[in-house]
Amino acid sequence: MEIRPLQYFLMVAREGTISGAAHALHLSQPSLSRQMQELERELGCKLFDRGSRRIELTEAGMRLRRRAEEIVDLVGRTEAEFLVSADTLAGEVRIGGGETPAMELVADAVAEQQSAYPLMRFSLYSGNAEDVHIAWKRYREFSPAASVFLDKIRELWS
């Protein structure tokens, strides 16, 4: 499976029409239509319910949309990681915690690190323990950039 058809699929899903997506992608409508048909054929299922004015995603289409968003995001983050030099600190750090005053300390540390390392992206997630655990399991990633940030957090707690 190629990434480009997934990107096209996501645009069709966002626009709600093949012609609107084709315009946004600077493609011809027949070409995009053909690519969406090929994607349906490749996956062996119908992704769209085509109406007279708009198209809606089928159940399979909604499932593919979730996966395609994850795949496209991961490819983008992977490309970004390799576009920076080896001595540049860049990447993404995701932090989850309870809705407590301690999250204010974390937010302050994030702000400080964000200005020091502009190529870093930080995501804060707060909620109850179960929500944070689910998010952690879904997005667990560990990178050298995360370890620098975690060291900073440990310093603040000392």
Side-chain angles (χ1 to χ4, degrees):
M1 179 177 292
E2 303 273 334
I3 186 125
R4 190 168 309 276
L6 293 177
Q7 292 169 323
Y8 292 171
F9 168 79
L10 289 173
M11 184 59 73
V12 171
R14 275 186 216 112
E15 292 293 320
T17 66
I18 297 281
S19 59
H23 179 74
L25 293 166
H26 306 289
L27 297 172
S28 71
Q29 184 273 329
S31 172
L32 182 58
S33 220
R34 200 170 28 260
Q35 290 191 45
M36 292 302 97
Q37 290 169 348
E38 288 172 17
L39 184 60
E40 287 179 318
R41 206 173 10 262
E42 180 180 351
L43 295 174
C45 61
K46 186 176 171 185
L47 300 171
F48 306 103
D49 282 326
R50 292 161 174 84
S52 59
R53 294 204 176 262
R54 295 188 57 82
I55 60 172
E56 300 291 326
L57 295 178
T58 62
E59 188 70 32
M62 287 186 276
R63 201 168 61 241
L64 178 61
R65 182 181 194 169
R66 286 189 298 273
R67 290 294 189 200
E69 287 170 344
E70 292 173 6
I71 291 166
V72 169
D73 179 60
L74 181 59
V75 166
R77 287 187 288 135
T78 302
E79 288 172 343
E81 282 180 28
F82 285 91
L83 290 176
V84 296
S85 66
D87 60 343
T88 301
L89 191 58
E92 182 173 12
V93 176
R94 297 178 184 196
I95 301 170
E99 293 181 11
T100 66
M103 283 304 281
E104 191 172 325
L105 287 173
V106 172
D108 291 343
V110 164
E112 183 180 319
Q113 296 301 305
Q114 189 82 61
S115 60
Y117 303 102
L119 296 177
M120 292 295 302
R121 291 185 303 165
F122 296 90
S123 299
L124 297 177
Y125 182 86
S126 65
N128 65 34
E130 184 178 346
D131 290 342
V132 171
H133 183 72
I134 290 169
W136 157 240
K137 285 174 75 175
R138 185 168 181 218
Y139 294 112
R140 65 178 163 232
E141 296 175 10
F142 192 81
S143 68
S147 70
V148 169
F149 184 72
L150 290 172
D151 289 344
K152 182 68 176 175
I153 294 293
R154 287 184 194 106
E155 276 179 39
L156 288 172
W157 286 95
S158 303

